[in-house]
Amino acid sequence: MSAKIDIEELVLPETIDGSPEADAFSEMVRVRNDIERAVIGSFDLAVTPAELLAIARNPYETWRCLVARVDGQLVARGLYEVQGGDESESAWLTIEVLPQARRRGVGTALFDTLAAMAEAEGRTVLQASAYHLTGSDDGPQLHSPTGFGTVPADDAAATFLSKRGFRLAQVDRMSRLALPSDAEEPTPPPGYELLRWEGPTPEDLLEGMATLHARMSTDPPLGEVDWNPEEWDAERVRENDTRRGGDGRLWLTAAVRHVASGALAGFTDLSVPPETDRPAMQMDTIVAAEYRGHRLGMLLKLANLHALDRLAPGRPAIYTWNAEENRHMLDVNEAVGFVAFGYESSWRRDG
């Protein structure tokens, strides 16, 4: 007798407060963490329910979560995400299944449900991503269309997506920096001023940060990933700060200002968990194109590493993601000690 697969959509809780919706969300997070541990070999990329809820409740994005149960046991989840509003042509689909529940039709059932959701909304591009560990480069490889990066053609995720008409769109390198970094406080080059803060963005920097956040949606290399330019203003920066400020993590930001114009030239931020045995996450880093060539990327990274060692010591590592074709940022990361531990592939299917 075949297993009975039940799929339902979670109702997002307002908070992680012990309500039935919050308990269901927390159960999903536990399974999500177990699945990712099975892929990468550790809980380093695990999240708490509060951390994931801060992402899920972004009012500028669509985030919907399905869960799959086999004979009543939660064994998988599927995400349906849309960048921006209704005008977006693409939807991101994530399908994650516990190892012991694979090859039983669960992933297929989730994919079919998610694809139907996209079709119902008129999305013509489906996108997905997957993790791949280093050391898995034996055998046939799929090459990124950017010319940088490959993934194993016989990898389970690659096989699943290829069979459903997806093609590889880009490969990101996942890198790890062991802590402490012992970075010294850097000195900005002439004509630039280094700024640093913890938590919410200072009021006088909101407009400048909005400009840089918008540039994050257009300036980094995207390969063949479908990603729309985003609109940011001071209010969106405030909302972002408030929402992520409720996830229990310390947010460290370093920015650099062009003195003559007063414009912010770039920024980087770190997300630091309260538990000292969990790693920090390197989030956005950008230097606007018109200000490049002054080693501002290195300045920003060193400034935040120095702040992390001083303000939140004891974390084991920092993790970061960069497109394989983004050689400038990879050079910066390699120079401060980041080492590749895996890759994340992005995929797309048109029509």
Side-chain angles (χ1 to χ4, degrees), residues 3 8 91 163 231 341 345:
E8 62 178 325
K163 285 182 176 179
E231 294 182 3
F341 82 98
S345 57

Side-chain angles (χ1 to χ4, degrees), residues 10-350:
L10 290 184
V11 176
L12 280 183
E14 292 292 333
T15 61
I16 304 300
D17 58 2
S19 67
E21 293 82 8
D23 290 345
F25 189 85
S26 296
E27 181 187 23
M28 177 274 294
V29 173
R30 176 184 58 78
V31 170
R32 175 256 187 218
N33 291 340
D34 287 344
I35 294 168
E36 297 206 356
R37 178 188 181 276
V39 175
I40 72 164
S42 77
F43 281 112
D44 277 2
L45 302 187
V47 295
T48 68
E51 290 167 354
L52 188 57
L53 186 61
I55 296 171
R57 295 203 66 87
N58 183 349
Y60 297 92
E61 311 287 346
T62 296
W63 194 98
R64 298 169 64 184
C65 182
L66 307 178
V67 292
R69 299 180 186 275
V70 172
D71 297 332
Q73 185 72 30
L74 198 156
V75 299
R77 72 167 192 162
L79 297 185
Y80 181 84
E81 300 173 89
V82 178
Q83 181 210 8
D86 293 338
E87 70 281 357
S88 178
E89 294 182 349
S90 64
W92 284 85
L93 313 183
T94 300
I95 298 164
E96 296 180 323
V97 183
L98 286 169
Q100 62 268 29
R102 293 171 188 165
R103 301 186 182 280
R104 301 172 69 180
V106 179
T108 296
L110 278 172
F111 174 81
D112 290 345
T113 304
L114 293 167
M117 291 164 59
E119 182 178 5
E121 293 187 349
R123 316 286 181 194
T124 57
V125 179
L126 300 183
Q127 302 192 102
S129 62
Y131 290 145
H132 316 268
L133 293 184
T134 55
S136 58
D137 55 356
D138 295 331
Q141 300 288 304
L142 298 176
H143 294 262
S144 170
T146 68
F148 297 87
T150 65
V151 298
D154 57 359
D155 175 274
T159 300
F160 182 91
L161 292 167
S162 295
K163 285 182 176 179
R164 285 158 180 81
F166 285 79
R167 71 179 189 276
L168 187 60
Q170 191 179 38
V171 175
D172 280 5
R173 182 184 303 186
M174 304 157 62
S175 302
R176 182 182 188 274
L177 172 67
L179 294 175
S181 68
D182 297 322
E184 297 183 357
E185 181 73 39
T187 300
Y192 292 90
E193 177 186 11
L194 182 63
L195 309 172
R196 268 262 317 113
W197 64 90
E198 301 96 54
T201 305
E203 282 290 315
D204 64 319
L205 300 178
L206 287 171
E207 293 292 347
M209 287 296 288
T211 297
L212 291 176
H213 277 293
R215 295 284 291 267
M216 277 297 304
S217 68
T218 59
D219 288 17
L222 294 171
E224 293 185 4
V225 170
D226 182 42
W227 196 255
N228 300 317
E230 295 180 347
E231 294 182 3
W232 283 74
D233 56 17
E235 183 53 38
R236 182 167 179 176
V237 177
R238 284 195 195 94
E239 187 283 329
N240 187 60
D241 289 346
T242 299
R243 179 167 38 81
R244 72 185 190 179
D247 68 3
R249 300 172 74 93
L250 172 66
W251 287 80
L252 302 176
T253 305
V256 61
R257 178 158 53 197
H258 182 241
V259 175
S261 66
L264 292 185
F267 83 96
T268 189
D269 53 9
L270 286 169
S271 174
V272 187
E275 302 87 355
T276 56
D277 62 342
R278 296 177 64 200
M281 295 294 167
Q282 172 67 65
M283 306 305 284
D284 290 344
T285 300
I286 186 170
V287 174
E290 58 269 30
Y291 299 108
R292 292 175 189 166
H294 302 282
R295 295 181 58 82
L296 298 181
M298 181 67 76
L299 172 79
L300 291 167
K301 286 291 181 77
L302 291 176
N304 241 14
L305 290 176
H306 177 75
L308 178 63
D309 286 347
R310 180 170 54 88
L311 298 172
R315 277 68 183 172
I318 301 172
Y319 286 85
T320 192
W321 281 249
N322 302 98
E324 270 294 289
E325 64 268 32
N326 192 352
R327 177 35 60 185
H328 171 73
M329 194 54 65
L330 289 174
D331 284 343
V332 171
N333 287 336
E334 291 167 359
V336 300
F338 278 96
V339 176
F341 82 98
Y343 297 89
E344 183 174 19
S345 57
S346 295
W347 301 73
R348 68 178 289 168
R349 187 181 85 177
D350 297 85

